[in-house]
Structure formats: structure tokens, C-alpha cells
């Protein structure tokens, strides 16, 4: 079934690191959902997550049958499909807690704003791999990618899901910086921003300014985000070197943490496993990223290379923002920790990304089909 | 070669990877440093803070805004509720305490023990709520005998207080606990479970102004839950005060006039659309919602046939009856179907097809013109006019007069009423329109449905010469510090009546005659020294089918309408009255409008001489 290239060059490292992160995630999730009480509905989350991860791995294996190069051809369709889903969310989506993020499709609830991250990465890779010269992208060449990014960005922010919107922007910016922006274009962008940002700020209403300031600095809102951050910091800090031990976290147990199974799962992990556990987890992410960069380095076509960089940016920014947030370094935004936070769409999206990375690494010598 | 250098390939891209690695390593080193700082350097301090989940939030509720009438009379404020709870660990002699409390609170000992029992497995430092809102007498006894009643705790909570019992209940509305649907809607981002929000009336419509901003404290507590220090504090901001357009005296008089009746009265300033009184009867006591109702109380409210929970002024839909003749008359005059010279002979009935339509006056009105037809409410005149106009033209004028559409008053659940036409009937019942139905519509019977507020807006518009103003209930919103947040100084026109100057003068003359001529149906509404204009209406509750029971049975009696404005020129007040099952508009509704207008005119000092009527 798989030819010998596939076997010889299969990226075992990436697979093993992914597997380890999933294991850590399941253990932490188990703690997060059981500690809150013996509610069955909570335990269901744990089972569901196992199913998502399992299907992720199965998908990973199947995807190896195809070459990532097909993504170049299908990029537009994938991207367009994601946009359609995002529009569908705004019209038919399920409202939870005031935002419309979820789409119920035949009993499965999906979050298209997660999938669109991959869609944008593929679309940009396709564009950048063709339209580039070493002088860098000119202003004119930047217009199309800007449109590719702004459409999903606005649709996601409309939900509203500012966190995911920002992640999309950051991924796209990283990819764009990677393929290099022409010096003149860069200076134009920078000067435009320095003019526009203060101007926009000037026109914002008082309460809008307050909201942005609170977003940047949660301490300004000691009854809301600021309170969550201090509880998260207490949870993490109280883990000390070796942690309180599995299922022994107290902040988690009394539901002092908000969203302890999704966005704040790192606090649970750090409280129970201490600096050793949290440190190893962050290190695993770093290894995952380095292995991914290695794949990019060994790739021989620019589409694959830029695609790999995009996926690395996707993983990197989510880890950096999520871990930074729970430790009080970043604004409080709903960005999940890849492979560890509960959430099917996030898990599947990350697994898709990793399977593309493995695919690129494995098929780098494969002849064009 | 040159081409080769210029294009990008993977080799060129690869040399950009190291730069990326440096950025990523830098970012990760920040994460590791922060983790190290939190867990290793500050770890001990955080472990201490986590010991009893020391850091807690204490909310400070914002004082809800006050509500005043147009003359700054306070209608709604807040009062403290003293909630009594018990901390078992601090009680010296439980039996004795319970015995005393049982006597003072009037709650049997077994009930009190039951309440305590529920909380017994819990940490005994946790206060157990015994009774909400205890009286000041009980409070005084407990405070005076602190040594006997050790372990008792009094919590003060602000409660909404509606000063005039049952007054303007439907306009002011009430508060209730926020429900899950509301929480999930995202419309109340600052609210949490257990919060009270406006559920009806002004309390609901102006929730965002009234509620204020909740404050709170991040506090550190010790093992027994006592506050050791306040880490951070956010001040609460009281809600804004709302000044209504209603006149509390007029409002209370309207309510007095409605005592024992089902129906409603609303009054408006015709030159601005400001609502001066809005009374719906029977009412409810909003304070019952504040302290919590028993199931029985609630069932009584909901099952009451007088529908006390409904604001009849905006939610109830009635056949407009003869008040609707204004619309038919406007249509007739504007469409040139009739003019002032047109006369009709009324023998007391009118034959159309094989049916005979009766005039309310058996003996007939004789020869009448449009002014007399309005004044004496001659049905035959309007049967003929309606027949000539046809249902579609009547419906068109009806819509232009504001029927079939909400007025947009700032109160929830306003009803639209119904303007029937052949198309509507076809889609609703699947049968075609009968000519007889046009005749019924022309005199305001049949499928027609209007709300009292719609009729009030029309009356005011006739009074002011043709402008339909949106009914306004708020004069201004002022912050607790006295800063004006929002003013409603400019009247908001909804549109003009579809009338020429000549037409409106004829209608006004008709309405003047209703009250001020010998044969007028609204004579009873006359006020000394002032000309009042008005129109009576008697809305049949059931169709004329004989098998539907005795028409004198009280629930089958007709509804009584009266709409009016005064003085007849440059009116300062317009009033709508409907008394359900009051029978005749002239006798059951008109005197109420008269009394209300009389007091308002007196208060306003308008006692001018009667001007000569041409």
C-alpha cells in the first residue's frame, strides 16, 4: 500500500510528539472534568475527546495515501468551503453564551472558525508559491492575500470570536513575512499603520476604548477577566516544582477556574504536574515546531515549504497565546491549546495540520503523480 | 541565469528559516521564564493563596435608577431588605435561639429546624438564610439582644419599592430573576444567575439605563471566610433616573375611575405625543413581585378573567365600533364620495342584498349629513358610505390612520390590531369577502381590531389638526449626579393623517357636535366653560347569532368606548377610555373621560370662556 519512500521517510518524531501531547491532554482533561463533581455530562466530554483524537489519527494515516501536492489544486475549493461554512454559522449557527460559533451537522457540532485556519494556510501557500520573487511582495501583490484573510477574519469576528480572528491574522502575517515583503511595501505598511491606529483610536467611543484597554490589560477588570487571570495564576503558581499530583488540584476542583477544560486547561495541568509537567509539555510543543521546521527545511518545492511554515505558525501562535494568557502575559481571548484543550474542531484542525506536515516530510522525494 | 536568481524556489526560502527559529526560540524562552517565575519563585506565595481558595469576589450591587413622574414626584425607589441568616458555629444555645426566633418571625420551630437541617452537612461557618426581608421590629429586637442572639447575621440587600401601591403598575412594570434564555442571548453581558432585571413596562424598556454598573471587590479571606484584605475594588455606579411623561395625580385619578371595572384609560398631550396617564384595570401590586409571590397568588393573577397581567392600553385588541366612523368619514370625504351637502335618510335600518342592517336607533335618525351622522353616530349613513367606498379603500385609509401597525411606544408586547380586507380574509379563512362585511367594517364592527393606544394617537391627531405623534413615555433620563443622559424634547411624528384642511375641519366639527349638540351621543362629557370634542363607541362582543346566549349576561355585554380631546381648539389633552362590558360608550365611558379631563384642565388653569362656535 505505502511505497518504500513512505516507509523510509515517515516522520516518526512528529507522530510520537503528537501522540504524547494527546496523552497529556487526555489525562489533564480527565482531571478537569472529574474534579468538578460526578456529573455524567462532564465525563461525556472526556469520551468525546478520545473519539476526536482517535479519528484524528485514523485520518492522519488515511491522508498519507494522497500527496499534499493535491492540496495545491484543491486549495481554492477547500478555502471556499470554509467560507461557506462560516457564512452558514452566522445564519444557522447555535448561540452559546452570546456568540454564534457552532454549526450542528447531523448530530455533530463543528466550529468552522477552527477549520478556516487551515483553509487560509493552504490558500496563502498556493498564492505565495507562485507569485513571488526574491525582492519580496509588492503592495499590489499583497492585495489578493489581504482579501483572502480579511474575509474569514471579518466573518469570525462577527460571531464574535476575536481570539480566533487574531490567530488567523497572526498566521497570515507570519507566512507573509516569511516569503518576504518588499522593503518599500513594508515601509508603506508600517507608516500606514502608525497613521491609522491613532486615528481609529481617536474616533472610538469611550466605552470601546475601555474595552480594548481591558482586553490588553485584564487587570483593569478585576471582577471579570482579571479575576480569572488571578485564579489561573494561583493555580499555576501553587503547582510549584512537582505539582499537587494527578486529580489533586484544588483550584480546579472548586470550579474557581473558568473554562477549565477548554481555554484554561493549562492551569489545571500546571497545578497538578508542577513546573516539571508544564515545562515538559511546553518543551514538547517546541520539539513539535522544530521537527516541523525540519520538514520545511527538507522540502523541495515552495508550495510544500510555505505550507509547512503556515502550519507551524498555526500551532505556534495558539500555544504562545494560550499559555501566555493563562500565565497573565496575554489578553484573555478564547484560543485553545492545540491537542490539549477540549474541542473536536480544534483537535481535528491540529491533527489535519500535523498530518500535512508528516505528508510533506514523507513525500518530499515522491515523484509527481 | 538572471531569471533563475530572481524567482523564488525552495532553496531561497530555506535561508529564511533560521530567522524564524530565532523568533520562536525567543517566544518560548518568555513562556519558560514566566512559568519558572510563577511556579518556582512565587510558588510558595501562590500555594498559600490557594490554601482556602483565598481570593474571592464580593459583588457590590448597583443601586437601580429611580423613576419619577413629569413633575418629579417619586414613583419607584429602592428600600433595604434585611435578610436574616444564622451561622451555626457561632450560636451559643440553638434551642433557645430557635424558640425566640420562631416567636418573633412567626415561623414555626419545625420549619426553622428544617431550614437549618438542610445546611448542616455543609461547613457550619456558612450562613444559612432563615428569612428574607424581616420587619424593622424584628430587626430592632435582634440588634438589641445581640448577646442572646449570637450567630445571627443580618444582610442588607436593596429591594425595589413601588411607592404608590398598584399605581401605574402596567406602565412601570416589574423586575424578575434573569432566566437562562436571557442569559444566553448575550443581551445582558454583565448579568449573572440570580440577578434581577426588568421584565415588564418601563423597568424592561429602560433596563440598560436603570440598572447601573455592578461593582465588587477581590478580597482575600481567611479559613473562616472573613475578609483579611481587599485586593482590588471596583466601585458600583448607580443607574440613571428616569423621568416619565405621566402626571401622577392624573394617573391616580384614572385608576380611581377604573376601580371595580375591567378596561383602561390613557391620556396624551395631543401637541407632543407625551402620555399623561396610562391606566389598565384590574392591576396588580408590583411589590408582590419584589418580595416573591406564592403559587396561589400567582395562579390568581394569571387566571383572573380581567387579565390583570395585561397592559390593556397597548396589548388588548378590541373592535373599534363607532369610533371607527372617523376613519370611514375621512375616506369618504377624501375620496369625494360624499361632501358636507350629502344627506342620507335613516329610517332605522338599511337593506343590502337580502340582509337588513339595523341602525342603533330603532326609530331612525331621519335626514342626516356627515356632521350629524358623526354627532348622532348614525349607522345607516355609514353603511351607505361604506358600501360606496368598498372594503379596500376603507382598509387603505385605516392603515394611513395608523391601524394595523404598532405605534412604537417604548413598551414591549404592543399589539398591532387588525385591518381586514378581502385579501386578508381569503388567506385567513379561504373564503371570499361579503358585501355585508364591508358594511360592518364601516361602522367599526366585524373583524376590525384596534388597541386603545392606536385610537388615542388618532384622536390626538384629529385634535392637533392632523399630525400623528408617536406616544412617548419618557421625558428625560438623568444620571445620579444630575447629568442629562437623554432627553426627549422633540415630538416624533409618525406621519400625517390622510386629510385635507377641509376634511379635518369637518371631522372636528362632527366630534364637537357629539358632545355639544342636543342630539349628540356624548353630551354627558360636557365640561363647564370648555368645549370638549369626542366620539362614543359601543363594541359588540359577540355576533348577533341568537344561540350565543343572553346578551344581557355581563360577559356578553358590549364594550364601551369614548375618545375625546379638550379644549376643541388647540387641545391640551386627549383621552381614550374603554370599559369592557360597560355597554354604552355614552354612559359607561364618556363620564370617565370627562372627569379626567376636567381635573387636568383645572390643574393646568385652563378655564377660559367658551368661544363662539360657528
Amino acid at each position: 500500500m505505502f511505497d518504500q519512500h513512505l516507509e523510509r521517510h515517515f516522520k516518526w518524531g512528529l507522530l510520537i510528539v503528537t501522540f504524547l501531547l494527546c496523552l497529556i491532554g487526555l489525562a489533564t482533561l480527565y482531571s478537569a472534568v472529574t474534579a468538578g463533581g460526578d456529573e455524567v455530562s462532564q465525563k461525556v466530554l472526556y469520551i468525546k475527546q478520545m473519539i476526536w483524537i482517535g479519528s484524528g489519527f485514523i485520518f492522519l494515516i488515511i491522508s498519507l495515501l494522497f500527496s499534499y501536492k493535491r492540496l495545491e489544486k484543491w486549495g481554492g475549493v477547500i478555502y471556499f468551503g470554509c467560507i461557506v461554512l462560516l457564512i452558514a454559522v452566522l445564519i444557522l449557527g447555535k448561540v452559546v453564551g452570546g456568540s454564534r460559533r457552532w454549526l450542528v451537522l447531523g448530530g455533530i457540532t463543528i466550529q468552522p472558525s477552527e477549520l478556516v485556519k487551515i483553509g487560509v494556510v493552504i490558500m496563502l501557500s498556493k498564492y505565495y508559491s507562485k507569485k513571488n520573487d526574491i525582492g519580496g511582495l509588492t503592495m499590489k501583490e499583497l492585495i489578493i492575500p489581504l482579501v483572502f484573510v480579511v474575509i474569514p477574519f471579518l466573518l469570525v469576528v462577527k460571531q464574535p470570536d476575536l481570539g480566533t480572528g487574531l490567530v488567523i491574522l497572526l498566521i497570515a502575517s507570519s507566512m507573509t513575512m516569511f516569503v518576504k515583503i518588499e522593503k518599500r511595501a513594508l515601509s508603506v505598511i508600517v507608516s500606514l499603520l502608525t497613521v491609522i491606529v491613532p486615528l481609529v483610536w481617536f474616533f472610538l467611543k469611550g466605552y470601546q476604548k475601555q474595552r480594548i484597554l481591558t482586553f490588553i490589560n485584564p487587570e483593569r477588570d478585576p471582577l471579570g477577566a482579571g479575576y480569572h487571570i488571578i485564579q489561573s495564576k494561583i493555580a499555576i503558581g501553587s503547582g510549584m516544582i512537582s505539582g499537587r499530583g494527578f486529580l489533586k488540584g484544588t483550584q480546579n476542583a472548586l470550579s474557581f477556574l473558568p473554562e477549565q477544560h477548554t481555554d484554561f486547561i493549562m492551569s489545571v495541568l500546571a497545578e497538578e504536574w508542577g513546573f516539571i509537567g508544564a515545562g515538559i509539555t511546553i518543551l514538547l510543543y517546541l520539539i513539535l515546531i522544530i521537527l516541523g521546521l525540519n520538514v520545511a527545511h527538507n522540502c523541495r518545492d515552495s508550495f510544500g515549504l510555505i505550507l509547512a511554515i503556515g502550519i507551524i505558525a498555526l500551532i505556534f501562535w495558539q500555544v504562545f497565546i494560550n499559555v501566555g494568557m493563562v500565565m497573565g502575559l496575554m489578553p484573555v481571548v478564547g484560543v485553545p491549546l492545540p491537542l490539549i484543550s477540549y474541542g473536536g474542531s480544534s483537535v481535528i484542525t491540529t491533527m489535519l495540520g500535523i498530518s500535512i506536515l508528516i505528508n510533506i516530510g514523507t513525500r518530499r522525494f515522491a515523484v509527481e503523480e | 541565469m538572471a531569471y533563475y536568481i530572481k524567482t523564488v524556489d525552495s532553496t531561497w526560502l530555506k535561508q529564511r528559516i533560521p530567522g524564524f527559529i530565532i523568533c520562536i526560540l525567543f517566544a518560548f524562552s518568555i513562556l519558560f521564564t514566566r512559568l519558572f517565575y510563577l511556579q518556582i519563585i512565587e510558588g510558595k506565595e501562590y500555594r498559600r493563596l490557594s490554601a482556602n481558595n483565598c481570593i474571592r469576589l464580593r459583588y457590590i450591587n448597583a443601586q437601580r435608577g429611580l423613576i419619577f413622574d413629569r413633575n418629579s414626584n417619586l414613583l419607584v425607589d429602592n428600600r433595604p431588605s434585611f435578610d436574616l441568616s444564622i451561622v451555626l458555629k457561632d450560636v451559643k444555645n440553638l434551642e433557645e435561639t430557635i424558640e425566640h426566633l420562631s416567636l418573633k418571625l412567626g415561623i414555626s420551630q419545625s420549619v426553622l429546624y428544617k431550614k437549618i437541617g438542610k445546611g448542616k452537612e455543609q461547613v457550619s461557618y456558612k450562613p444559612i438564610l432563615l428569612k428574607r426581608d424581616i420587619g424593622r421590629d424584628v430587626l430592632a429586637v435582634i440588634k438589641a439582644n445581640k448577646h442572646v442572639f449570637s450567630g445571627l447575621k443580618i444582610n442588607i440587600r436593596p429591594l425595589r419599592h413601588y411607592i404608590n401601591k398598584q399605581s401605574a403598575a402596567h406602565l412601570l412594570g416589574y423586575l424578575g430573576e434573569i432566566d437562562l434564555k436571557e442569559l444566553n442571548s448575550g443581551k445582558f453581558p454583565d448579568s449573572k444567575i440570580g440577578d434581577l432585571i426588568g421584565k415588564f413596562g418601563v423597568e424592561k424598556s429602560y433596563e440598560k439605563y436603570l440598572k447601573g454598573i455592578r461593582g465588587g471587590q477581590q478580597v482575600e479571606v481567611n479559613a473562616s471566610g472573613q475578609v483579611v484584605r481587599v485586593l482590588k475594588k471596583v466601585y458600583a455606579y448607580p443607574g440613571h433616573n428616569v423621568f416619565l411623561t405621566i402626571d401622577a395625580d392624573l394617573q391616580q385619578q384614572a385608576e380611581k375611575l377604573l376601580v371595580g371595572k375591567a378596561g383602561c384609560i390613557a391620556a396624551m398631550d395631543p401637541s407632543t405625543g407625551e402620555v399623561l396617564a396610562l391606566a389598565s384595570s384590574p392591576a396588580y401590586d408590583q411589590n408582590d413581585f419584589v418580595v416573591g409571590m406564592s403559587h396561589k397568588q400567582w395562579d390568581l393573577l394569571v387566571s383572573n378573567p380581567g387579565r390583570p397581567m395585561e397592559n390593556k392600553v397597548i396589548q388588548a385588541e378590541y373592535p373599534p365600533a363607532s369610533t371607527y366612523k372617523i376613519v370611514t368619514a375621512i375616506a369618504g370625504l377624501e375620496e369625494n364620495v360624499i361632501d358636507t351637502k350629502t344627506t342620507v335618510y335613516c329610517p332605522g335600518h338599511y337593506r343590502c342584498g337580502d340582509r337588513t342592517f339595523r341602525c342603533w336607533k330603532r326609530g331612525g335618525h331621519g335626514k342626516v349629513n356627515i356632521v350629524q351622522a358623526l354627532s348622532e353616530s348614525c349607522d345607516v349613513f355609514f353603511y351607505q358610505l361604506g358600501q360606496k367606498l368598498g372594503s379596500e379603500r376603507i382598509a387603505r385609509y385605516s392603515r394611513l390612520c395608523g391601524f394595523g401597525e404598532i405605534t412604537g411606544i417604548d413598551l414591549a408586547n404592543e399589539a398591532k390590531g387588525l385591518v381586514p380586507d378581502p385579501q386578508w380574509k381569503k388567506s385567513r379563512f379561504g373564503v371570499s369577502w361579503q358585501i355585508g362585511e364591508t358594511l360592518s367594517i364601516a361602522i367599526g364592527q366585524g373583524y376590525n381590531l384596534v388597541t386603545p393606544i392606536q385610537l388615542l394617537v388618532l384622536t390626538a391627531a384629529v385634535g392637533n389638526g392632523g399630525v400623528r405623534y408617536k406616544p412617548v413615555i419618557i421625558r428625560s433620563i438623568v444620571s445620579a449626579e444630575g447629568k442629562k443622559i437623554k432627553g426627549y424634547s422633540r415630538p416624533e411624528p409618525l406621519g400625517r393623517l390622510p386629510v385635507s384642511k377641509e376634511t379635518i375641519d369637518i371631522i372636528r366639527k362632527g366630534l364637537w357636535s357629539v358632545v355639544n349638540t342636543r342630539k349628540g351621543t356624548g353630551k354627558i362629557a360636557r365640561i363647564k366653560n370648555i368645549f370638549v370634542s369626542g366620539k362614543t363607541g359601543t363594541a359588540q362582543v359577540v355576533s348577533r347569532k341568537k344561540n350565543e346566549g343572553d346578551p344581557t349576561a355581563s360577559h356578553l355585554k358590549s364594550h364601551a368606548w369614548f375618545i375625546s380631546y379638550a379644549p376643541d381648539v388647540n387641545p391640551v389633552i386627549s383621552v381614550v377610555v374603554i370599559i369592557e362590558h360597560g355597554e354604552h360608550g355614552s354612559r359607561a365611558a364618556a363620564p370617565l373621560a370627562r372627569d379626567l379631563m376636567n381635573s387636568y384642565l383645572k390643574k393646568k388653569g385652563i378655564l377660559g370662556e367658551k368661544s363662539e362656535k360657528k
Side-chain angles (χ1 to χ4, degrees):
Chain A
M1 192 160 79
F2 298 113
D3 64 31
Q4 57 183 57
H5 278 303
L6 277 177
E7 282 159 43
R8 197 175 335 136
H9 299 289
F10 187 74
K11 293 289 142 187
W12 289 105
L14 275 171
L15 191 72
I16 290 166
V17 173
T18 306
F19 190 69
L20 286 176
L21 282 168
C22 287
L23 279 187
I24 292 172
L26 281 174
T28 316
L29 185 68
Y30 183 78
S31 175
V33 297
T34 44
D38 43 11
E39 277 176 65
V40 184
S41 65
Q42 292 279 301
K43 289 199 171 129
V44 170
L45 297 183
Y46 174 72
I47 307 289
K48 272 186 171 172
Q49 183 81 341
M50 276 171 79
I51 294 170
W52 283 116
I53 288 175
S55 11
F57 276 106
I58 292 168
F59 193 85
L60 192 150
I61 308 289
I62 294 171
S63 71
L64 286 177
L65 290 174
F66 308 96
S67 166
Y68 68 93
K69 281 166 187 155
R70 292 199 179 182
L71 288 176
E72 191 168 3
K73 207 162 109 200
W74 291 95
V77 177
I78 294 168
Y79 175 83
F80 187 72
C82 290
I83 299 294
V84 169
L85 283 177
L86 280 181
I87 294 169
V89 168
L90 287 182
I91 301 164
L92 312 164
K94 194 170 78 169
V95 179
V96 178
S99 45
R100 203 180 276 278
R101 294 182 188 173
W102 292 269
L103 207 59
V104 183
L105 288 178
I108 300 170
T109 313
I110 62 164
Q111 207 177 336
S113 55
E114 289 294 328
L115 298 175
V116 81
K117 292 172 186 167
I118 290 273
V120 169
V121 166
I122 296 173
M123 198 66 194
L124 285 182
S125 308
K126 187 176 165 175
Y127 180 82
Y128 286 151
S129 62
K130 284 174 187 153
K131 299 262 174 164
N132 205 355
D133 69 65
I134 56 170
L137 296 155
T138 60
M139 279 309 275
K140 228 165 101 188
E141 287 169 320
L142 278 171
I143 291 171
I144 292 173
L146 191 70
V147 172
F148 286 154
V149 176
V150 164
I151 294 170
F153 173 77
L154 290 180
L155 288 171
V156 169
V157 169
K158 186 99 210 319
Q159 292 181 353
D161 185 351
L162 194 59
T164 308
L166 283 179
V167 168
I168 291 173
L169 276 192
L170 287 169
I171 294 169
S173 318
S174 310
M175 292 175 72
T176 312
M177 296 297 279
F178 180 79
V179 292
K180 200 174 171 187
I181 302 173
E182 193 198 32
K183 273 210 182 80
R184 225 179 49 213
L186 193 65
S187 53
V188 169
I189 292 168
V190 171
S191 44
L192 267 180
L193 282 179
T194 46
V195 173
I196 290 170
V197 169
L199 215 69
V200 168
W201 183 254
F202 181 75
F203 280 109
L204 285 178
K205 291 196 179 109
Y207 73 95
Q208 287 169 322
K209 285 183 189 169
Q210 291 301 321
R211 213 175 280 171
I212 291 173
L213 286 175
T214 307
F215 174 75
I216 295 167
N217 177 17
E219 302 264 316
R220 287 176 58 97
D221 178 21
L223 306 180
Y227 179 67
H228 295 157
I229 285 302
I230 194 163
Q231 292 297 349
S232 172
K233 272 154 71 177
I234 290 173
I236 294 171
S238 69
M240 298 171 81
I241 295 178
S242 53
R244 287 175 181 272
F246 187 47
L247 299 182
K248 296 216 174 90
T250 59
Q251 296 298 103
N252 170 32
L254 288 165
S255 300
F256 269 75
L257 286 173
E259 303 282 336
Q260 75 257 35
H261 60 280
T262 56
D263 298 344
F264 279 85
I265 196 151
M266 191 64 192
S267 322
V268 178
L269 194 155
E271 183 184 15
E272 297 191 347
W273 300 99
F275 184 72
I276 297 171
I280 287 174
T281 308
I282 298 174
L283 200 64
L284 281 173
Y285 281 115
L286 184 59
I287 293 170
L288 186 74
I289 286 167
I290 303 244
L291 289 175
L293 284 168
N294 186 44
V295 165
H297 187 77
N298 292 328
C299 184
R300 287 183 174 185
D301 67 307
S302 30
F303 172 71
L305 201 154
I306 300 171
L307 187 61
I309 292 291
I311 287 158
I312 289 158
L314 187 153
I315 295 168
F316 166 76
W317 281 115
Q318 295 193 83
V319 172
F320 185 66
I321 292 175
N322 181 285
V323 178
M325 171 189 77
V326 297
M327 296 195 300
L329 289 175
M330 289 268 166
V332 178
V333 282
V335 171
L337 188 59
L339 303 176
I340 293 189
S341 283
Y342 171 77
S345 300
S346 167
V347 166
I348 291 292
T349 305
T350 313
M351 291 294 246
L352 273 176
I354 291 168
S355 56
I356 292 171
L357 276 184
I358 293 178
N359 200 312
I360 296 169
T362 307
R363 289 189 176 264
R364 66 190 146 122
F365 298 116
V367 221
E368 193 71 47
E369 287 144 273
Chain B
M1 192 66 189
Y3 175 80
Y4 175 77
I5 291 168
K6 265 188 114 182
T7 44
V8 160
D9 63 359
S10 49
T11 338
W12 180 83
L13 283 168
K14 265 172 210 167
Q15 43 116 5
R16 292 185 66 80
I17 293 179
F20 250 56
I21 294 182
I22 290 168
C23 293
I24 286 168
L25 286 178
F26 177 69
F28 270 82
S29 68
I30 293 175
L31 294 184
F32 277 115
T33 313
R34 179 66 170 178
L35 195 68
F36 185 82
Y37 171 79
L38 287 178
Q39 296 197 296
I40 313 286
I41 297 175
E42 293 281 309
K44 259 210 172 112
E45 171 63 8
Y46 282 122
R47 174 84 43 118
R48 183 187 74 76
L49 286 174
S50 79
N52 323 295
N53 293 301
C54 280
I55 310 292
R56 306 219 180 136
L57 274 190
R58 299 264 153 113
Y59 286 109
I60 305 164
N61 283 321
Q63 164 127 336
R64 201 171 166 85
L66 311 177
I67 304 179
F68 298 88
D69 85 337
R70 67 187 294 122
N71 302 314
S72 303
N73 294 313
L74 187 58
L75 302 177
V76 185
D77 68 354
N78 306 293
R79 67 174 175 84
S81 154
F82 301 99
D83 298 347
L84 178 68
S85 28
I86 189 164
V87 178
L88 289 178
K89 261 223 166 132
D90 296 340
V91 177
K92 279 184 200 138
N93 186 336
L94 187 65
E95 272 96 56
E96 202 181 320
T97 310
I98 293 291
E99 205 183 315
H100 273 100
L101 278 179
S102 167
L103 278 173
K104 293 280 175 258
L105 298 172
I107 301 175
S108 76
Q109 290 196 23
S110 57
V111 172
L112 287 176
Y113 274 117
K114 222 178 181 175
K115 287 195 179 188
I116 294 167
K118 259 191 227 157
K120 229 171 193 169
E121 332 69 84
Q122 304 266 334
V123 192
S124 39
Y125 271 117
K126 205 173 172 183
I128 301 160
L129 184 71
L130 291 179
K131 189 172 193 284
R132 285 184 192 279
D133 200 18
I134 57 168
R136 283 186 190 256
D137 47 336
V138 184
L139 179 74
V141 172
I142 290 168
K143 285 246 158 124
N145 302 299
K146 254 192 168 160
H147 54 286
V148 185
F149 291 126
S150 62
L152 291 185
K153 255 193 170 171
I154 305 282
N155 256 328
I156 306 171
R157 197 164 48 98
L159 278 189
R160 204 66 166 153
H161 179 222
Y162 300 91
I163 291 166
N164 308 316
K165 203 179 163 196
Q166 292 215 348
S167 187
H170 297 95
L171 175 64
L172 297 173
Y174 48 83
L175 303 179
E177 222 168 87
I178 189 166
D179 60 40
L180 267 175
K181 220 170 115 193
E182 287 161 330
L183 268 176
N184 284 335
S185 71
K187 281 184 202 148
F188 305 92
D190 308 323
S191 298
K192 52 185 181 58
I193 291 173
D195 280 358
L196 294 175
I197 57 164
K199 291 272 184 170
F200 196 75
V202 168
E203 295 274 30
K204 181 187 170 111
S205 305
Y206 294 89
E207 168 72 18
K208 75 171 179 180
Y209 295 105
L210 287 166
K211 75 170 182 198
I213 301 168
R214 189 208 311 275
Q217 295 174 321
Q218 261 185 27
V219 294
E220 190 182 331
V221 295
N222 62 18
S224 52
Q226 263 139 353
V227 175
V228 188
R229 62 195 165 117
V230 176
L231 299 174
K232 267 172 196 142
K233 186 166 177 165
V234 175
Y235 291 98
Y237 287 96
H240 302 319
N241 298 333
V242 168
F243 289 80
L244 301 178
T245 57
I246 63 158
D247 179 311
D249 297 332
L250 202 65
Q251 175 72 25
Q252 281 175 30
Q253 204 201 343
E255 281 152 8
K256 228 177 264 162
L257 292 166
L258 284 171
V259 168
K261 303 179 173 95
C264 64
I265 299 181
M268 177 190 266
D269 182 338
S271 59
T272 59
E274 289 186 0
V275 174
L276 301 169
L278 194 150
S280 179
S281 174
Y284 51 85
D285 188 350
Q286 299 129 292
N287 292 306
D288 290 344
F289 286 87
V290 174
V291 290
M293 262 184 274
S294 65
H295 273 290
K296 213 171 137 194
Q297 264 177 306
W298 175 251
D299 287 343
L300 270 175
L301 264 184
V302 179
S303 62
N304 186 327
R307 313 185 309 282
M309 298 297 287
E310 179 185 78
N311 182 356
K312 296 194 173 68
V313 178
I314 62 160
Q315 291 177 269
E317 297 171 312
Y318 304 98
S322 299
T323 60
Y324 205 66
K325 287 172 183 163
I326 296 174
V327 174
T328 315
I330 289 175
L333 290 163
E334 285 296 312
E335 294 286 306
N336 293 320
V337 174
I338 51 163
D339 59 24
T340 44
K341 290 178 210 99
T342 313
T343 55
V344 162
Y345 181 77
C346 167
H349 56 84
Y350 178 64
R351 257 195 100 71
C352 173
D354 55 353
R355 269 185 72 186
T356 301
F357 290 81
R358 291 195 175 285
C359 184
W360 67 270
K361 196 173 176 185
R362 286 284 157 104
H365 291 94
K367 207 167 106 178
V368 288
N369 63 19
I370 175 69
V371 173
Q372 288 163 318
L374 280 170
S375 162
E376 297 165 34
S377 208
C378 174
D379 290 337
V380 170
F381 185 95
F382 286 98
Y383 287 143
Q384 293 198 17
L385 177 53
Q387 195 176 2
K388 282 179 201 151
L389 279 166
S391 58
E392 264 143 1
R393 275 201 281 189
I394 298 177
R396 197 171 84 228
Y397 276 87
S398 178
R399 291 196 187 98
L400 289 169
C401 288
F403 295 110
E405 198 45 65
I406 58 167
T407 65
I409 190 172
D410 250 342
L411 292 171
N413 309 325
E414 188 183 354
K416 284 208 302 201
L418 175 66
V419 175
D421 59 17
Q423 208 186 339
W424 167 83
K425 196 187 173 194
K426 191 90 197 168
S427 64
R428 177 75 173 75
F429 298 111
V431 279
S432 47
W433 191 264
Q434 306 291 316
I435 178 69
E437 285 167 334
T438 308
L439 269 55
S440 295
I441 296 297
I443 63 154
Q445 301 289 355
Y447 298 117
N448 272 336
L449 286 175
V450 304
T451 62
I453 193 80
Q454 286 173 336
L455 257 186
L456 181 61
V457 171
L458 172 68
T459 312
V462 172
N464 69 28
V467 186
R468 293 172 49 242
Y469 286 114
K470 180 173 163 181
V472 179
I473 52 173
I474 301 286
R475 286 205 110 183
S476 60
I477 296 173
V478 177
S479 76
E481 300 92 50
K483 213 178 106 199
K484 194 161 185 174
I485 305 294
K486 210 169 172 188
Y488 297 80
S489 46
R490 219 175 297 141
E492 197 183 318
L494 292 168
R496 273 195 68 87
L497 291 181
V499 288
S500 64
K501 177 84 177 61
E502 293 74 39
T503 302
I504 193 82
D505 285 345
I506 296 163
I507 303 290
R508 289 167 63 100
K509 197 169 170 195
L511 299 195
W512 179 86
S513 315
V514 168
V515 181
N516 299 294
T517 56
R518 197 171 51 80
K519 285 184 176 170
T521 55
K523 274 187 299 192
I524 202 165
R526 280 185 205 171
I527 295 174
K528 214 178 158 190
N529 291 338
I530 289 273
F531 279 125
V532 172
S533 297
K535 182 77 199 81
T536 53
T538 304
Q540 278 151 357
V541 175
V542 286
S543 63
R544 270 159 253 183
K545 280 180 206 152
K546 290 182 186 81
N547 54 3
E548 287 204 36
D550 176 11
T552 56
S554 66
H555 72 283
L556 297 174
K557 281 183 184 168
S558 303
H559 297 324
W561 278 111
F562 193 69
I563 55 174
S564 59
Y565 55 86
D568 64 328
V569 183
N570 297 325
V572 295
I573 183 169
S574 54
V575 174
V576 61
V577 178
I578 183 163
I579 302 299
E580 293 184 2
H581 313 299
E583 281 204 282
H584 293 294
S586 51
R587 258 171 285 138
L592 274 56
R594 176 197 63 205
D595 291 354
L596 195 72
M597 288 189 290
N598 198 10
S599 350
Y600 186 73
L601 294 169
K602 230 184 241 167
K603 193 174 175 181
K604 275 248 165 180
I606 300 170
L607 298 150
E609 297 296 303
K610 271 198 185 189
S611 55
E612 267 320 302
K613 195 79 194 176
K614 54 263 160 184

